[in-house]
Amino acid sequence: AGWRLVGAGRSPAASGFGADAMACPAANRCLAVGSRPVGTGGNEMPAAAGWSGRSWVALRTPGPIGPDSGLDGLACPSALVCVAVGVAERNGTETGIAEQWDGSTWRWRPIGTG
């Protein structure tokens, strides 16, 4: 087995999705996280995409919208547990964010402060 080029078709990139991190918890399952633009005001929101072994598909994420919101890191100890972390900016203040993948849905997870 080796690397091969895969056509994107109607990939998440069509919506402006930019990947910042990727993990492959199984040979035919990968996730990518990053951000995508929202509207025309320069705002972004966290975004994710999944590879099924055949194609990339956009995955719905619950993250906040802001001037510089996105997911920057990803760890997947198994195909059913992945955690993504990043930042959300509101009113000039950055806050850490986290989202967890359970194999079918991304869910918001609080990050402690201090």
Side-chain angles (χ1 to χ4, degrees):
W3 289 97
R4 65 183 173 91
L5 183 62
V6 177
R10 279 192 50 79
S11 74
S15 68
F17 172 73
D20 291 315
M22 184 178 358
C24 298
N28 64 346
R29 174 60 85 182
C30 294
L31 293 170
V33 297
S35 62
R36 69 175 179 85
V38 177
T40 58
N43 288 325
E44 293 184 334
M45 72 175 291
W51 173 256
S52 66
R54 298 185 63 115
S55 64
W56 285 99
V57 295
L59 302 172
R60 181 181 210 129
T61 60
I65 297 171
D68 192 22
S69 297
L71 298 169
D72 303 309
L74 178 64
C76 297
S78 79
L80 299 177
V81 178
C82 292
V83 177
V85 295
V87 296
E89 183 181 330
R90 288 235 169 125
N91 301 321
T93 302
E94 288 188 346
T95 303
I97 59 172
E99 297 185 16
Q100 183 174 351
W101 175 253
D102 65 10
S104 63
T105 304
W106 284 102
R107 298 188 196 291
W108 180 264
R109 291 293 176 240
I111 294 180
T113 58

